[in-house]
Amino acid sequence: MSVVLILRRARRDLGLLGLTALIAAVTVFLACAAPRLVHDTVDRGAREAVATAGRSTDLVLGSNLIADLPGTGSTPVTAQQVIDLAPLIPERLPPALRGVAQSALPFAVTQAVDVVGAPVEVGMRFAALTPDGRGHLVVERGELPGATAGASDDAPIRVALSAVAARRIGADVGSVLRLETATDAFDIRVSALVAPDAGQTPADQRASWIDIPNLWPDETDGEPVVGTGRPRTEQVSVLIDPEAMTRVTAALVDPVPAGIRVTLDPDGFTADLVTRVAQDIDALKGTAADLTPGEPITLLAQSSFEAALADYPPAASAATAQMTIAIAGMLVAAITVLLLASALLTARRAAGLTLERARGTSLVGIGCRAGVEAVVTTALATVVGVGGAGLVFPGPGTLWWVVALVGLVAIAVPVVQAVRVARAAWPTSRRVANPSERRRAARMQGRRRLVLEALLGAVTLAAVVAVVQRGALPAGPTGGGPGSAFAPGALGVDPLVAIAPALIAASVAVAAARLLPLALRPALRPARRSRGIAGLLIAAQLDRTPTILPVFAATLAVGILFAGGSFAATVDSGQENASWLAVGGDARADGSFTPDDVTRVQGSPDVTAAGARLVLRGVDATGDRGSTLVSVTGVTAGSERLIGGRPDDPDYRATATDIRSLRGEDSYSEVEAPVRALADAALIERYGETGLSVDINDRMVELDLVGPLDVPLAGQTDEVGSRLLVDLDALSNAVGTPLPATTIVVDGAGAASAVASLGPDAEVETRAGWLAERRGSALIAGTTHTMQLAAGAAFVLAMLAVAAAVLGQARGRVRDVALMRTLGAERGAGWWLALAQTLPVALAAFLGGVGAGALILYLVGPSLGLDILTGREETAMVLDQATLAVAAAGIILTLAAAILGERVAANRRALPTVLRVGESS
């Protein structure tokens, strides 16, 4: 009989039961899919970070070649032994490293040896030609050096070098050069001119020969550097057979560095593997000898893995924290909406449950029937939610405890609600009949509620204070140990960060529900004084405190929507500001430029401003208070506003005025001394009164430090020492020769085309390209995408909460409207009553959501590392007004649709029947 009753009840309430199951399935889907999105985002960020770092993440197992010299007692180590050992290394690595090891490349490169009798001063390095190296070479002329077995000790060593290097040192195929060391001298013969594999990209070519410096010199290598006066020298590397390396090793006094470079595959990385690989590398630094058991070679492990990826852990933590806030709030809102849907279903069955209880059914029996139905629907919802998440977002990362929590709520809540309804209809405890006792009981209940609300506020305050003080991102030394950014769990999020938005929303929802009736009270006076019962009843409805549960759900959802949109707007605004600092204008070109180049760019179409600058790093500066190294930046007229910062930035506006003052009113037809300069605070404090001179092209130029330089300069992140900014024309006149510009910055719609006309030798960067690269990065794009999905889901949940609030009071409104109509109320009174009952929930949800979102943004936002994602040290919070408009429009439309649907359904019912038979008819 119980099974038949359960089936009959389910068939009768199929619509609401299906809605509850659907919400449960969606909640399970979100609980499975959202964490997978977070994992996928940080994993893609890890792969991108490793790929961007390139060979900086490689593990280098270093050693030395040891010559077989009599009387030394040392075990010889040859280049061939190192080459033979390389293929065995990957399988001997720790598990995490072994999983991402891509290749093991041996190398052996000597220190520079002086060439005797060359047309220019030459320092030559010898590098062993490995099998992998032979596969990445193109022989232009001659023949690669081979084995030298049987050759006499006096025979020239055959070498291969690049055609550019041969031309720079005056050599060709067949040329014989003499080299001398401290203990020996020998000859080499150029047997081949080679070039890198044309099938490789320039980046791959550099990576293939990273351990051999100066193997592929550029045509401009060795030219004197502007501002230094240093002479031209040639540094080249040549390739020799591994057997010949043994002879070179014996001739050198210094050890010959050798080793094996283990390259890592970026595609094999995850966020977890970044941590484990960092730990493995750190452990290998003390136990690299375990990789060569029984071998005469001793290896020393070195890697810049942690330094190369130093920016990844905080960026991943910042992204994870932002996504977790949105996802946690979304899941709490989803569970709350699930409670509301279950409450709607229980309210619909209230009459039947009361009847069952009146017929003698025990509370246990009522609870069991509700539990059986809940278990079946929850099981189906879980299967659908987990399966859907597996199809749409496959991969690891599911928080199964969250799925279990959703299932527990979906099963327990209908049981508890059904038992409460049945128990309330037939209470077992004595009801208080004395009016004074009833008032006393009501006061006690109000006090208990105030205590609970105060406790909620205290917990919220404690969570926010803890988040503000401790922050959301890991901080500590590198090394994979405790406190390290690479330590286990370092990419996780503090639970307080995840729960803080929900606590803030709950506190704000309680405050909004309490304060809204007080705020509406002055507007209710005309309604109370109106004729008829309709105005009085509507005023009474508006004066009530809204139900907390739908207000909390909608407040949290709107708050997450608003905070998420504001986080995205803040990051977007911060990146926009950072792009000006990185580029200086709409486009920038770096190279060596003449005044004609600058003039041509300034005259290009759609160019609103253009200026040039010269950047000299590591310049010697001398004053009465000692010497120091400085970076000197010379700017031309027209570039005052192109040194960095947004055009409306007041700090850069002030600096632009200071730059104009450097020129004064005099022309520079004659040498003017001293040259006016802006300097950073350290230089002004040290040399401001005594003056300072800088060495430019072997000429001391006296400077007059006339003002501070307290803003960063665009594109100048590698400055050496303190900073100086001067007028380029004044500096050229003081030196006595025109100084070429090294940077041209352009503003305007035609900036990109203007800098492109400077030729292929110019390194061009555009602000649009900079922004596209940053916003297209895996972490930022993934975070934005996840936040948008979470915000969209939160928006839908907010609408469901508002709709549930409307439908939850629908049955009571039918009775009230029937009473009002019999007492002479107008036909449209039902619309006003529906609006009066639902408007407080909508207003509290919207206003509370705006307040909660703003509090989340300003209280929790600074702890989320938004500056890491924007690229600026200081990022101002931005309120996204578009999400407010979307939330308001959505609430209004949902409210209107729910009321319209309810009133259409209510008008089909005979109101006298409601009064005569009851609202259960």
Side-chain angles (χ1 to χ4, degrees):
M1 184 66 182
S2 297
V3 176
V4 174
L5 181 60
I6 293 172
L7 293 175
R8 183 184 303 165
R9 182 184 296 167
R11 185 172 59 252
R12 184 188 63 191
D13 303 326
L14 187 60
L16 272 178
L17 186 63
L19 176 63
T20 304
L22 177 62
I23 294 175
V26 171
T27 306
V28 172
F29 174 85
L30 294 175
C32 293
R36 292 177 185 175
L37 274 177
V38 176
H39 274 260
D40 180 66
T41 297
V42 295
D43 287 348
R44 286 189 291 111
R47 291 189 284 271
E48 183 181 70
V50 175
T52 302
R55 288 299 177 88
S56 299
T57 61
D58 292 350
L59 172 66
V60 179
L61 303 172
S63 184
N64 287 320
L65 302 185
I66 301 176
D68 187 9
L69 300 176
T72 60
S74 301
T75 303
V77 176
T78 65
Q80 189 60 50
Q81 287 177 306
V82 176
I83 292 173
D84 294 340
L85 175 64
L88 307 177
I89 290 296
E91 293 301 321
R92 299 178 182 179
L93 293 172
L97 263 174
R98 188 189 317 137
V100 295
Q102 190 173 38
S103 60
L105 306 176
F107 65 89
V109 185
T110 70
Q111 301 295 334
V113 182
D114 293 334
V115 178
V116 180
V120 295
E121 183 179 344
V122 179
M124 183 174 291
R125 298 174 186 266
F126 293 87
L129 183 56
T130 64
D132 182 76
R134 290 179 181 271
H136 292 95
L137 283 178
V138 175
V139 179
E140 296 182 341
R141 291 172 54 199
E143 182 179 355
L144 288 176
T148 59
S152 66
D153 293 341
D154 296 333
I157 297 175
R158 300 174 61 196
V159 303
L161 74 165
S162 72
V164 174
R167 184 165 54 252
R168 294 181 67 84
I169 66 174
D172 203 346
V173 175
S175 298
V176 177
L177 302 176
R178 184 75 172 172
L179 288 87
E180 289 185 354
T181 67
T183 60
D184 198 358
F186 56 92
D187 295 330
I188 64 170
R189 182 187 301 276
V190 178
S191 66
L193 299 182
V194 294
D197 184 5
Q200 290 183 302
T201 64
D204 291 337
Q205 292 172 359
R206 290 190 296 270
S208 298
W209 305 97
I210 189 173
D211 294 303
I212 307 177
N214 307 117
L215 181 62
W216 313 112
D218 295 331
E219 292 286 354
T220 58
D221 284 354
E223 296 295 338
V225 179
V226 174
T228 64
R230 300 188 182 105
R232 167 177 170 173
T233 59
E234 298 293 348
Q235 295 288 336
V236 299
S237 292
V238 298
L239 301 172
I240 62 175
D241 188 78
E243 290 186 12
M245 181 63 80
T246 304
R247 179 180 167 186
V248 174
T249 303
L252 297 177
V253 176
D254 297 327
V256 175
I260 299 169
R261 177 177 290 271
V262 180
T263 64
L264 307 181
D265 181 14
D267 294 335
F269 272 88
T270 63
D272 178 63
L273 271 179
V274 168
T275 300
R276 291 167 54 196
V277 168
Q279 293 173 333
D280 284 352
I281 291 176
D282 188 61
L284 270 180
K285 292 178 181 179
T287 60
D290 297 341
L291 300 178
T292 57
E295 301 283 348
I297 303 176
T298 300
L299 299 177
L300 178 65
Q302 297 177 343
S303 179
S304 301
F305 183 86
E306 292 185 15
L309 299 183
D311 293 337
Y312 169 72
S317 294
T320 302
Q322 293 178 51
M323 291 185 287
T324 301
I325 278 182
I327 290 171
M330 175 192 66
L331 289 177
V332 172
I335 292 175
T336 309
V337 173
L338 179 61
L339 296 178
L340 291 172
S342 179
L344 284 177
L345 181 62
T346 304
R348 178 178 176 81
R349 295 174 173 177
L353 294 173
T354 302
L355 187 60
E356 285 186 50
R357 182 63 172 158
R359 291 175 177 175
T361 305
S362 66
L363 295 177
V364 175
I366 292 175
C368 288
R369 291 171 184 170
V372 170
E373 182 184 74
V375 167
V376 174
T377 56
T378 302
L380 292 175
T382 302
V383 171
V384 172
V386 173
L391 292 175
V392 180
F393 300 106
T398 298
L399 299 178
W400 292 109
W401 68 269
V402 178
V403 176
L405 177 62
V406 173
L408 180 62
V409 170
I411 293 173
V413 169
V415 175
V416 173
Q417 290 175 338
V419 171
R420 286 188 61 186
V421 169
R423 185 177 180 181
W426 294 88
T428 56
S429 59
R430 182 179 62 88
R431 290 185 177 181
V432 178
N434 191 333
S436 61
E437 291 295 327
R438 289 183 182 180
R439 289 193 295 270
R440 181 182 177 185
R443 286 196 300 269
M444 291 298 298
Q445 184 178 2
R447 290 170 184 171
R448 285 194 295 268
R449 180 177 177 180
L450 285 176
V451 170
L452 292 176
E453 292 173 357
L455 180 61
L456 173 63
V459 172
T460 302
L461 180 61
V464 171
V465 170
V467 170
V468 171
Q469 290 182 345
R470 294 185 343 204
L473 308 183
T478 58
S484 167
F486 291 91
L491 297 185
V493 177
D494 192 324
L496 284 176
V497 177
I499 198 174
L503 291 174
I504 291 174
S507 298
V508 171
V510 170
R514 285 283 191 178
L515 297 176
L516 187 63
L518 298 177
L520 293 177
R521 191 164 295 173
L524 300 180
R525 293 171 184 169
R528 289 193 178 97
R529 297 171 182 173
S530 61
R531 297 178 58 184
I533 193 175
L536 184 62
L537 188 58
I538 290 173
Q541 295 290 342
L542 288 174
D543 199 30
R544 293 178 180 176
T545 299
T547 307
I548 292 296
L549 197 59
V551 172
F552 167 65
T555 297
L556 178 59
V558 173
I560 292 299
L561 175 66
F562 181 40
S566 297
F567 283 142
T570 299
V571 172
D572 188 73
S573 175
Q575 289 173 341
E576 187 75 20
N577 293 335
S579 69
W580 285 100
L581 181 59
V583 181
D586 288 324
R588 189 184 76 242
D590 295 317
S592 181
F593 309 107
T594 65
D596 292 339
D597 293 331
V598 179
T599 302
R600 185 172 69 253
V601 169
Q602 290 175 335
S604 298
D606 297 325
V607 170
T608 58
R613 74 175 77 149
L614 167 67
V615 182
L616 302 176
R617 298 174 177 86
V619 177
D620 293 326
T622 306
D624 293 342
R625 297 184 179 178
S627 302
T628 186
L629 290 178
V630 297
S631 292
V632 180
T633 301
V635 296
T636 63
S639 62
E640 296 88 353
R641 278 298 303 122
L642 298 174
I643 61 172
R646 296 178 67 102
D648 55 353
D649 191 320
D651 292 336
Y652 281 93
R653 283 179 177 271
T655 303
T657 303
D658 293 339
I659 294 175
R660 294 188 189 97
S661 70
L662 296 177
R663 301 187 182 89
E665 298 178 357
D666 302 327
S667 65
Y668 293 112
S669 58
E670 298 179 358
V671 174
E672 179 180 343
V675 175
R676 302 184 186 97
L678 303 180
D680 57 23
L683 277 181
I684 292 179
E685 181 179 358
R686 184 176 179 183
Y687 300 102
E689 297 179 358
T690 60
L692 183 68
S693 297
V694 292
D695 183 2
I696 306 294
N697 282 358
D698 294 330
R699 181 162 183 171
M700 300 304 295
V701 178
E702 185 179 354
L703 301 179
D704 179 16
L705 307 184
V706 297
L709 178 62
D710 50 11
V711 295
L713 301 179
Q716 296 181 207
T717 58
D718 55 349
E719 292 171 316
V720 178
S722 299
R723 301 179 302 152
L724 287 168
L725 192 145
V726 300
D727 181 73
L728 183 56
D729 293 334
L731 186 64
S732 298
N733 284 345
V735 174
T737 182
L739 297 175
T742 56
T743 299
I744 295 179
V745 183
V746 190
D747 214 0
S753 301
V755 295
S757 67
L758 293 172
D761 294 334
E763 296 182 9
V764 173
E765 184 174 23
T766 63
R767 204 166 59 82
W770 190 94
L771 284 172
E773 180 182 353
R774 296 307 185 276
R775 292 171 178 171
S777 68
L779 276 181
I780 295 177
T783 300
T784 302
H785 179 63
T786 303
M787 295 283 283
Q788 289 174 344
L789 291 179
F795 176 74
V796 174
L797 292 169
M799 301 308 100
L800 287 176
V802 172
V806 174
L807 297 177
Q809 299 173 329
R811 300 180 67 82
R813 276 195 295 275
V814 172
R815 180 193 59 217
D816 293 340
V817 170
L819 290 171
M820 292 166 59
R821 292 288 304 279
T822 58
L823 295 175
E826 297 180 357
R827 189 174 183 84
W831 293 93
W832 289 106
L833 181 62
L835 183 62
Q837 287 186 342
T838 56
L839 185 61
V841 175
L843 283 176
F846 178 74
L847 298 177
V850 172
L855 289 175
I856 293 170
L857 181 67
Y858 286 103
L859 295 180
V860 183
S863 302
L864 300 182
L866 297 179
D867 55 326
I868 298 175
L869 300 182
T870 60
R872 282 183 64 94
E873 294 182 0
E874 297 181 359
T875 301
M877 296 297 174
V878 177
L879 296 177
D880 185 21
Q881 299 180 359
T883 56
L884 294 182
V886 171
I891 290 177
I892 293 173
L893 291 176
T894 303
L895 198 63
I899 293 176
L900 177 63
E902 177 212 329
R903 296 311 307 155
V904 170
N907 289 337
R908 295 178 180 178
R909 305 182 64 182
L911 297 183
T913 303
V914 173
L915 294 178
R916 184 176 65 253
V917 180
E919 57 182 299
S920 61
S921 61

